[in-house]
Structures are given as structure tokens and as C-alpha cells.
Amino acid sequence: MIKVLFFARLREELGIDGLQWPWQAGMTLAELLSQLQGQGEPWASCLAQPNLLTAVNQAIVDSQELLADGDEVAFFPPVTGG
């Protein structure tokens, strides 16, 4: 299983702070994201944001990151400040 976490605006829009997702051998972060978006709305639009940040085991990674069973994946919007 993969532990999936949602932060900030994503958590609010999805109405959930996290979930457990079945791991599959050879799964990349891009594939996980596609599966989550495949659940329909609001998942599809919420997770299709162009500047969506992703972390695996608390390290920022790109979409081709290979996932392992037991990984923690976090999605969060870009951080802005002033």
C-alpha cells in the first residue's frame, strides 16, 4: 500500500487529508496521479494543477519517480509568499 497525503487547498477541495492506495510493481508517481485523477471530479481537476508539487518520503521528486510498497506520497499546491 502507498500512503497518499493531501495538503492545504488540495485537502480542502478533496475533503480528505489522506488515503491508502494499492501499490503495483513498477508504478511511477505519474501513474499514481493518473489513477487518482481517474476517479472523476473533483479529483481530476484538483490534481491537474500545472504547478502541483509532489514528494515521496518527504523529498520533492518528479513524476517519473518509481514508487515502492510502503512509500508516503504527498501532493500540495505551490507555496507562495511575500
XYZ file of all heavy atoms in Angstrom:
627
model
N 0.831 -1.182 0.000
C 0.000 0.000 0.000
C 0.877 1.248 0.000
O 1.981 1.239 0.529
C -0.902 0.021 1.229
C -1.949 -1.089 1.281
S -3.118 -1.050 -0.073
C -4.297 0.095 0.557
N 0.345 2.300 -0.566
C 1.003 3.604 -0.578
C 0.140 4.547 0.245
O -1.084 4.597 0.065
C 1.144 4.138 -2.019
C 2.048 3.215 -2.829
C 1.675 5.562 -2.030
C 2.085 3.542 -4.302
N 0.769 5.286 1.129
C 0.055 6.290 1.913
C 0.092 7.584 1.111
O 1.165 8.089 0.786
C 0.730 6.479 3.264
C 0.020 7.477 4.160
C 0.711 7.570 5.502
C -0.031 8.521 6.413
N 0.627 8.593 7.736
N -1.083 8.127 0.772
C -1.183 9.340 -0.032
C -1.748 10.455 0.848
O -2.789 10.274 1.493
C -2.100 9.127 -1.258
C -2.146 10.367 -2.120
C -1.633 7.917 -2.070
N -1.043 11.588 0.877
C -1.451 12.729 1.691
C -1.736 13.937 0.812
O -1.077 14.142 -0.215
C -0.331 13.085 2.687
C 0.117 11.976 3.618
C 1.337 12.422 4.418
C -1.015 11.560 4.534
N -2.695 14.749 1.240
C -3.063 15.972 0.528
C -2.963 17.137 1.500
O -3.435 17.042 2.633
C -4.489 15.872 -0.023
C -4.694 14.658 -0.885
C -5.321 13.534 -0.383
C -4.245 14.630 -2.190
C -5.502 12.400 -1.163
C -4.415 13.512 -2.989
C -5.046 12.390 -2.468
N -2.372 18.239 1.051
C -2.151 19.379 1.920
C -2.788 20.647 1.383
O -3.031 20.785 0.186
C -0.645 19.609 2.126
C -0.008 18.525 2.930
C 0.623 17.459 2.312
C -0.043 18.556 4.312
C 1.201 16.447 3.052
C 0.542 17.556 5.063
C 1.157 16.498 4.433
N -3.032 21.578 2.300
C -3.518 22.925 2.000
C -4.807 22.881 1.181
O -5.742 22.166 1.534
C -2.436 23.747 1.318
N -4.842 23.621 0.103
C -6.043 23.757 -0.722
C -6.500 22.408 -1.292
O -7.700 22.164 -1.431
C -5.776 24.755 -1.850
C -6.989 25.055 -2.700
C -6.687 26.060 -3.798
N -5.765 25.487 -4.770
C -4.585 26.008 -5.100
N -4.173 27.120 -4.573
N -3.815 25.415 -5.990
N -5.566 21.516 -1.595
C -5.948 20.207 -2.132
C -6.793 19.438 -1.122
O -7.806 18.832 -1.473
C -4.710 19.389 -2.504
C -3.779 19.983 -3.552
C -2.585 19.087 -3.761
C -4.515 20.222 -4.848
N -6.372 19.464 0.125
C -7.113 18.778 1.184
C -8.531 19.351 1.296
O -9.496 18.612 1.429
C -6.371 18.903 2.509
C -7.097 18.264 3.672
C -6.353 18.393 4.971
N -6.108 19.797 5.270
C -4.966 20.258 5.775
N -3.967 19.441 6.026
N -4.832 21.536 6.030
N -8.623 20.666 1.208
C -9.936 21.319 1.305
C -10.824 20.968 0.112
O -12.010 20.675 0.282
C -9.753 22.826 1.404
C -9.072 23.260 2.685
C -8.639 24.720 2.668
O -9.035 25.458 1.739
O -7.891 25.104 3.576
N -10.267 21.004 -1.084
C -11.059 20.735 -2.285
C -11.494 19.272 -2.372
O -12.592 18.977 -2.842
C -10.273 21.120 -3.535
C -10.092 22.620 -3.685
C -9.236 23.004 -4.880
O -8.916 22.134 -5.720
O -8.878 24.191 -4.984
N -10.630 18.362 -1.931
C -10.960 16.938 -1.993
C -11.770 16.471 -0.790
O -12.407 15.426 -0.828
C -9.676 16.104 -2.112
C -8.882 16.301 -3.399
C -7.554 15.564 -3.322
C -9.699 15.832 -4.601
N -11.699 17.239 0.294
C -12.423 16.861 1.502
C -11.824 15.668 2.212
O -12.512 14.945 2.936
N -10.522 15.454 2.010
C -9.842 14.312 2.614
C -8.374 14.689 2.817
O -7.788 15.377 1.992
C -9.993 13.063 1.716
C -9.444 11.818 2.392
C -9.357 13.271 0.355
C -9.776 10.539 1.635
N -7.799 14.259 3.911
C -6.389 14.592 4.138
C -5.445 13.473 3.719
O -4.256 13.688 3.549
C -6.130 15.000 5.587
C -6.447 13.901 6.580
O -6.942 12.842 6.184
O -6.183 14.113 7.782
N -5.968 12.290 3.508
C -5.120 11.196 3.072
C -5.912 9.929 2.816
O -7.089 9.827 3.158
N -5.227 8.969 2.199
C -5.838 7.670 1.923
C -4.744 6.640 1.683
O -3.578 6.984 1.514
C -6.783 7.772 0.716
C -6.244 8.327 -0.611
C -5.522 7.270 -1.418
C -7.391 8.882 -1.429
N -5.143 5.395 1.675
C -4.251 4.294 1.332
C -4.583 3.866 -0.099
O -5.754 3.737 -0.449
C -4.462 3.108 2.286
C -4.133 3.407 3.728
C -2.634 3.533 3.957
O -1.841 2.784 3.407
N -2.244 4.495 4.772
N -3.537 3.664 -0.932
C -3.748 3.300 -2.337
C -2.962 2.032 -2.628
O -1.813 1.902 -2.193
C -3.272 4.444 -3.229
C -3.773 4.326 -4.634
C -3.111 3.796 -5.703
C -5.049 4.725 -5.119
N -3.896 3.860 -6.821
C -5.096 4.427 -6.479
C -6.160 5.316 -4.522
C -6.210 4.697 -7.270
C -7.267 5.577 -5.313
C -7.281 5.274 -6.667
N -3.541 1.099 -3.377
C -2.831 -0.146 -3.684
C -1.560 0.108 -4.504
O -1.592 0.826 -5.500
C -3.830 -0.953 -4.505
C -5.147 -0.271 -4.351
C -4.876 1.139 -3.949
N -0.466 -0.463 -4.066
C 0.805 -0.366 -4.782
C 0.850 -1.446 -5.863
O 0.325 -2.544 -5.676
C 1.965 -0.555 -3.811
C 3.290 -0.616 -4.502
C 3.999 0.412 -5.003
C 4.066 -1.796 -4.755
N 5.168 -0.031 -5.557
C 5.238 -1.386 -5.424
C 3.885 -3.147 -4.498
C 6.223 -2.281 -5.820
C 4.862 -4.043 -4.893
C 6.016 -3.604 -5.549
N 1.473 -1.104 -6.983
C 1.672 -2.054 -8.076
C 3.137 -1.999 -8.483
O 3.709 -0.902 -8.597
C 0.787 -1.679 -9.270
C -0.680 -1.656 -8.952
C -1.484 -0.847 -9.966
O -0.940 -0.305 -10.923
N -2.774 -0.735 -9.744
N 3.738 -3.132 -8.701
C 5.141 -3.181 -9.100
C 5.362 -2.329 -10.348
O 4.576 -2.373 -11.288
C 5.568 -4.624 -9.370
N 6.407 -1.515 -10.335
C 6.742 -0.666 -11.474
C 5.957 0.631 -11.547
O 6.103 1.384 -12.504
N 5.136 0.898 -10.544
C 4.307 2.107 -10.549
C 5.162 3.352 -10.361
O 5.996 3.416 -9.478
C 3.259 2.029 -9.431
C 2.400 3.273 -9.281
S 1.326 3.172 -7.822
C -0.105 2.448 -8.557
N 4.928 4.351 -11.218
C 5.594 5.640 -11.070
C 4.619 6.628 -10.424
O 3.411 6.376 -10.363
C 6.045 6.212 -12.428
O 4.881 6.483 -13.209
C 6.997 5.270 -13.149
N 5.154 7.740 -10.008
C 4.319 8.792 -9.446
C 3.302 9.268 -10.472
O 2.135 9.511 -10.147
C 5.196 9.947 -8.964
C 4.496 11.107 -8.300
C 3.678 10.663 -7.105
C 5.501 12.159 -7.883
N 3.700 9.388 -11.735
C 2.782 9.800 -12.800
C 1.618 8.826 -12.931
O 0.469 9.238 -13.133
C 3.521 9.927 -14.127
N 1.885 7.542 -12.804
C 0.821 6.541 -12.899
C -0.132 6.632 -11.712
O -1.354 6.513 -11.873
C 1.417 5.140 -13.010
C 2.123 4.923 -14.335
C 2.985 3.674 -14.363
O 3.473 3.236 -13.299
O 3.171 3.147 -15.464
N 0.419 6.852 -10.524
C -0.429 7.037 -9.345
C -1.326 8.255 -9.540
O -2.537 8.189 -9.302
C 0.418 7.202 -8.085
C -0.347 7.628 -6.830
C -1.365 6.568 -6.423
C 0.624 7.919 -5.690
N -0.752 9.345 -9.978
C -1.516 10.570 -10.202
C -2.630 10.329 -11.219
O -3.769 10.752 -11.022
C -0.583 11.688 -10.666
C -1.205 13.062 -10.849
C -1.836 13.561 -9.556
C -0.154 14.041 -11.333
N -2.327 9.622 -12.286
C -3.324 9.315 -13.312
C -4.459 8.473 -12.734
O -5.642 8.710 -13.044
C -2.663 8.590 -14.478
O -3.606 8.232 -15.449
N -4.133 7.515 -11.904
C -5.163 6.676 -11.283
C -6.050 7.497 -10.351
O -7.274 7.324 -10.331
C -4.520 5.524 -10.521
C -3.896 4.495 -11.421
C -3.188 3.386 -10.652
O -3.367 3.232 -9.445
N -2.370 2.611 -11.345
N -5.445 8.387 -9.586
C -6.228 9.241 -8.693
C -7.147 10.158 -9.492
O -8.320 10.318 -9.167
C -5.299 10.061 -7.794
C -4.537 9.281 -6.732
C -3.458 10.153 -6.096
C -5.485 8.733 -5.672
N -6.622 10.752 -10.572
C -7.432 11.629 -11.419
C -8.563 10.850 -12.085
O -9.621 11.398 -12.368
C -6.572 12.297 -12.477
C -5.627 13.328 -11.917
C -4.628 13.826 -12.949
O -4.176 13.076 -13.800
N -4.292 15.096 -12.855
N -8.348 9.570 -12.330
C -9.346 8.718 -12.966
C -10.584 8.477 -12.123
O -11.569 7.904 -12.602
N -10.569 8.940 -10.884
C -11.741 8.791 -10.015
C -12.821 9.823 -10.343
O -13.869 9.828 -9.710
C -11.341 8.925 -8.545
C -10.408 7.844 -8.088
C -10.146 7.935 -6.617
O -10.590 7.083 -5.867
N -9.455 8.983 -6.189
N -12.569 10.697 -11.307
C -13.555 11.704 -11.688
C -13.376 12.981 -10.882
O -12.336 13.213 -10.281
N -14.401 13.803 -10.872
C -14.342 15.086 -10.156
C -14.638 14.888 -8.678
O -15.431 14.015 -8.340
C -15.319 16.079 -10.777
C -14.951 16.517 -12.177
C -13.582 17.169 -12.278
O -13.108 17.767 -11.304
O -12.978 17.072 -13.341
N -14.026 15.645 -7.800
C -13.117 16.764 -8.044
C -11.667 16.344 -8.249
O -10.799 17.183 -8.429
C -13.264 17.601 -6.775
C -13.481 16.588 -5.710
C -14.327 15.507 -6.369
N -11.391 15.041 -8.197
C -10.018 14.543 -8.299
C -9.313 15.002 -9.575
O -8.168 15.435 -9.540
C -10.003 13.010 -8.223
C -10.532 12.498 -6.938
C -11.848 12.234 -6.644
C -9.796 12.228 -5.755
N -11.951 11.802 -5.352
C -10.714 11.776 -4.778
C -8.454 12.309 -5.426
C -10.327 11.416 -3.508
C -8.059 11.934 -4.153
C -8.986 11.501 -3.211
N -9.994 14.865 -10.705
C -9.369 15.159 -11.994
C -8.883 16.607 -12.076
O -7.724 16.858 -12.413
C -10.346 14.859 -13.124
N -9.746 17.552 -11.767
C -9.343 18.956 -11.886
C -8.409 19.385 -10.758
O -7.470 20.142 -10.981
C -10.573 19.860 -11.943
O -11.349 19.726 -10.773
N -8.651 18.903 -9.571
C -7.838 19.301 -8.420
C -6.384 18.858 -8.584
O -5.452 19.604 -8.290
C -8.439 18.699 -7.153
S -7.648 19.238 -5.635
N -6.185 17.653 -9.079
C -4.826 17.116 -9.220
C -4.209 17.396 -10.578
O -3.119 16.925 -10.873
C -4.834 15.608 -8.931
C -5.237 15.247 -7.497
C -5.327 13.743 -7.337
C -4.260 15.842 -6.483
N -4.885 18.168 -11.421
C -4.351 18.529 -12.737
C -3.715 19.909 -12.729
O -3.385 20.436 -13.783
C -5.457 18.460 -13.782
N -3.548 20.507 -11.568
C -2.952 21.834 -11.483
C -1.533 21.800 -12.047
O -0.758 20.893 -11.728
C -2.946 22.308 -10.030
C -4.340 22.427 -9.451
C -4.333 22.806 -7.993
O -3.455 23.508 -7.534
N -5.329 22.332 -7.270
N -1.181 22.788 -12.869
C 0.117 22.755 -13.557
C 1.330 22.830 -12.634
O 2.366 22.282 -12.956
C 0.063 23.967 -14.487
C -0.995 24.846 -13.919
C -1.970 23.954 -13.223
N 1.207 23.458 -11.486
C 2.360 23.600 -10.591
C 2.257 22.723 -9.354
O 2.857 23.026 -8.322
C 2.509 25.069 -10.172
C 2.820 25.945 -11.358
O 3.541 25.543 -12.268
N 2.264 27.135 -11.378
N 1.525 21.631 -9.459
C 1.344 20.710 -8.348
C 2.701 20.184 -7.884
O 3.513 19.743 -8.703
C 0.454 19.544 -8.795
C 0.052 18.541 -7.736
C -0.916 19.176 -6.740
C -0.607 17.334 -8.395
N 2.948 20.263 -6.598
C 4.195 19.744 -6.034
C 3.961 18.358 -5.464
O 2.893 18.076 -4.911
C 4.713 20.677 -4.941
C 5.077 22.090 -5.393
C 5.434 22.946 -4.194
C 6.221 22.046 -6.383
N 4.973 17.505 -5.607
C 4.857 16.139 -5.107
C 6.114 15.758 -4.346
O 7.220 16.169 -4.696
C 4.657 15.143 -6.266
O 5.720 15.294 -7.203
C 3.334 15.382 -6.976
N 5.906 14.974 -3.317
C 7.023 14.471 -2.526
C 6.799 12.989 -2.257
O 5.668 12.540 -2.069
C 7.128 15.233 -1.206
N 7.888 12.249 -2.258
C 7.852 10.844 -1.873
C 8.791 10.701 -0.686
O 9.972 11.075 -0.766
C 8.279 9.917 -3.037
C 8.376 8.471 -2.568
C 7.310 10.037 -4.199
N 8.246 10.205 0.399
C 9.011 10.058 1.641
C 9.692 11.366 2.024
O 10.865 11.404 2.378
C 9.996 8.898 1.532
C 9.280 7.587 1.261
O 8.195 7.343 1.782
N 9.857 6.762 0.412
N 8.948 12.458 1.886
C 9.325 13.805 2.290
C 10.444 14.436 1.459
O 11.082 15.381 1.886
C 9.666 13.841 3.777
C 8.497 13.385 4.630
C 8.794 13.401 6.108
O 9.854 13.830 6.546
N 7.842 12.942 6.893
N 10.659 13.924 0.248
C 11.631 14.513 -0.675
C 10.903 14.874 -1.975
O 10.196 14.040 -2.540
C 12.762 13.537 -0.972
N 11.075 16.120 -2.429
C 10.451 16.564 -3.676
C 11.010 15.733 -4.832
O 12.233 15.572 -4.949
C 10.716 18.063 -3.921
C 10.159 18.909 -2.781
C 10.145 18.506 -5.272
C 8.658 18.928 -2.689
N 10.111 15.218 -5.664
C 10.512 14.357 -6.780
C 9.737 14.752 -8.035
O 8.745 15.476 -7.969
C 10.262 12.866 -6.462
C 11.106 12.394 -5.300
C 8.793 12.614 -6.191
N 10.172 14.227 -9.187
C 9.430 14.470 -10.423
C 8.478 13.304 -10.680
O 8.480 12.306 -9.957
C 10.364 14.728 -11.603
C 11.169 13.514 -12.033
O 10.735 12.367 -11.785
O 12.233 13.699 -12.633
N 7.706 13.437 -11.720
C 6.631 12.481 -11.985
C 7.109 11.086 -12.385
O 6.318 10.141 -12.361
C 5.698 13.030 -13.065
O 6.406 13.166 -14.281
N 8.372 10.944 -12.741
C 8.873 9.631 -13.151
C 9.459 8.825 -11.991
O 9.992 7.729 -12.193
C 9.919 9.799 -14.260
C 9.329 10.388 -15.532
C 8.072 9.653 -15.991
O 8.070 8.441 -16.147
N 6.992 10.390 -16.189
N 9.326 9.351 -10.775
C 9.819 8.651 -9.589
C 9.125 7.294 -9.462
O 7.907 7.178 -9.521
C 9.549 9.482 -8.334
C 10.022 8.868 -7.065
C 11.535 8.949 -6.883
O 12.198 9.706 -7.613
O 12.036 8.251 -5.991
N 9.917 6.236 -9.295
C 9.399 4.891 -9.118
C 8.981 4.720 -7.666
O 9.741 5.050 -6.750
C 10.473 3.872 -9.498
C 10.037 2.430 -9.645
C 8.989 2.289 -10.752
C 11.239 1.560 -9.959
N 7.768 4.223 -7.451
C 7.238 4.069 -6.098
C 7.455 2.657 -5.586
O 7.444 1.697 -6.361
C 5.746 4.402 -6.079
C 5.375 5.811 -6.534
C 3.864 5.971 -6.560
C 6.027 6.849 -5.631
N 7.640 2.558 -4.283
C 7.816 1.261 -3.629
C 6.677 1.037 -2.649
O 6.063 1.990 -2.147
C 9.157 1.229 -2.901
N 6.405 -0.206 -2.368
C 5.384 -0.548 -1.392
C 5.743 0.097 -0.054
O 6.889 0.030 0.389
C 5.307 -2.061 -1.243
C 4.086 -2.519 -0.484
O 3.111 -1.752 -0.373
O 4.109 -3.664 0.014
N 4.779 0.775 0.561
C 5.003 1.436 1.839
C 5.428 2.885 1.736
O 5.577 3.558 2.756
N 5.637 3.407 0.517
C 6.020 4.810 0.353
C 4.910 5.740 0.836
O 3.733 5.382 0.838
C 6.308 5.144 -1.116
C 7.714 4.783 -1.547
O 8.549 4.443 -0.684
O 7.972 4.839 -2.770
N 5.328 6.939 1.225
C 4.403 8.013 1.556
C 4.509 9.055 0.450
O 5.593 9.576 0.193
C 4.777 8.642 2.893
C 3.892 9.815 3.268
C 4.380 10.510 4.521
O 5.230 11.418 4.384
O 3.931 10.132 5.609
N 3.396 9.349 -0.203
C 3.354 10.317 -1.293
C 2.505 11.499 -0.847
O 1.399 11.308 -0.332
C 2.746 9.687 -2.572
C 2.608 10.726 -3.673
C 3.591 8.519 -3.039
N 3.031 12.699 -1.033
C 2.300 13.904 -0.648
C 2.113 14.809 -1.863
O 3.030 14.985 -2.659
C 3.059 14.654 0.441
N 0.921 15.360 -1.970
C 0.593 16.322 -3.019
C 0.250 17.635 -2.341
O -0.513 17.658 -1.371
C -0.612 15.853 -3.841
C -0.370 14.610 -4.630
C -0.804 13.385 -4.180
C 0.295 14.668 -5.842
C -0.587 12.224 -4.917
C 0.529 13.520 -6.592
C 0.084 12.292 -6.127
N 0.797 18.731 -2.868
C 0.472 20.049 -2.311
C 0.654 21.120 -3.358
O 1.455 20.976 -4.286
C 1.289 20.345 -1.042
C 2.749 20.084 -1.137
C 3.645 21.116 -1.342
C 3.259 18.799 -1.024
C 5.000 20.885 -1.427
C 4.620 18.553 -1.103
C 5.489 19.605 -1.303
N -0.124 22.207 -3.222
C -0.011 23.299 -4.188
C 1.294 24.054 -3.979
O 1.912 23.936 -2.900
C -1.221 24.186 -3.863
C -1.532 23.888 -2.445
C -1.134 22.468 -2.208
N 1.717 24.804 -4.971
C 2.967 25.579 -4.802
C 2.852 26.565 -3.643
O 1.764 27.091 -3.380
C 3.135 26.298 -6.128
C 1.821 26.220 -6.802
C 1.095 25.048 -6.256
N 3.939 26.772 -2.970
C 3.977 27.678 -1.845
C 4.316 29.062 -2.356
O 5.224 29.234 -3.163
C 5.027 27.219 -0.807
C 5.119 28.195 0.338
C 4.717 25.818 -0.336
N 3.544 30.038 -1.921
C 3.824 31.416 -2.306
C 3.983 32.246 -1.047
O 3.511 31.882 0.021
C 2.696 32.008 -3.167
O 1.487 31.978 -2.419
C 2.526 31.227 -4.455
N 4.638 33.313 -1.192
C 4.827 34.196 -0.038
C 5.161 35.596 -0.507
O 5.317 35.851 -1.691
N 5.300 36.468 0.425
C 5.577 37.822 0.002
C 6.327 38.616 1.040
O 6.766 38.250 2.033
